Amino acid sequence: MSWASMRDRMNRVNMRALNDGPACYQDASGMHDVPEVMVDFNIARTWPEGVFLTEQTGITYRKVELCAVSRGGIFIFNNRRFLVEEEIADDGLFVTVACMEQRR
């Protein structure tokens, strides 16, 4: 078994164990299903002045399941809508975006 296949297997196992469920992503090109996402509320952000807790929500997904998201796109998770503000992490396998919940 190659290193890449072991890494991919480990990432699938980790996502199955840590995911919070499915979500949908909507942007100008339409609606896309994302089978597994990890959702972290009130994420901490690191700035030059230090670490701050925010009201932002971090949504992490596997890059192979959704190639790219854009500012202004919407994640729909558990009947809640999250507006994408910016990408905060991309290691080539997993992507995390900072979002703000849209209140109705």
Side-chain angles (χ1 to χ4, degrees):
M1 182 180 282
S2 71
W3 166 251
S5 62
M6 286 189 300
R7 178 203 60 213
D8 292 342
R9 181 171 178 247
M10 178 187 65
N11 286 335
R12 284 191 303 274
V13 168
N14 288 341
M15 185 55 104
R16 268 196 309 270
L18 300 174
N19 85 80
D20 293 306
C24 291
Y25 174 72
Q26 182 178 1
D27 62 7
S29 68
M31 186 79 77
H32 310 277
D33 289 328
V34 184
E36 300 171 324
V37 296
M38 292 183 278
V39 180
D40 298 302
F41 297 97
N42 301 323
I43 59 175
R45 300 290 304 271
T46 303
W47 303 98
E49 297 84 20
V51 177
F52 297 95
L53 291 178
T54 69
E55 292 183 3
Q56 291 178 315
T57 300
I59 297 181
T60 303
Y61 59 92
R62 291 182 63 219
K63 195 168 188 171
V64 298
E65 294 171 352
L66 184 62
C67 293
V69 300
S70 58
R71 182 179 175 90
I74 305 284
F75 274 98
I76 301 167
F77 174 75
N78 283 347
N79 294 321
R80 296 165 75 178
R81 297 170 59 88
F82 298 93
L83 177 70
V84 175
E85 292 188 329
E86 66 180 312
E87 183 179 288
I88 56 176
D90 181 353
D91 66 2
L93 301 171
F94 291 95
V95 178
T96 301
V97 292
C99 304
M100 287 300 290
E101 184 171 5
Q102 290 185 313
R103 305 278 183 196
R104 293 181 191 202

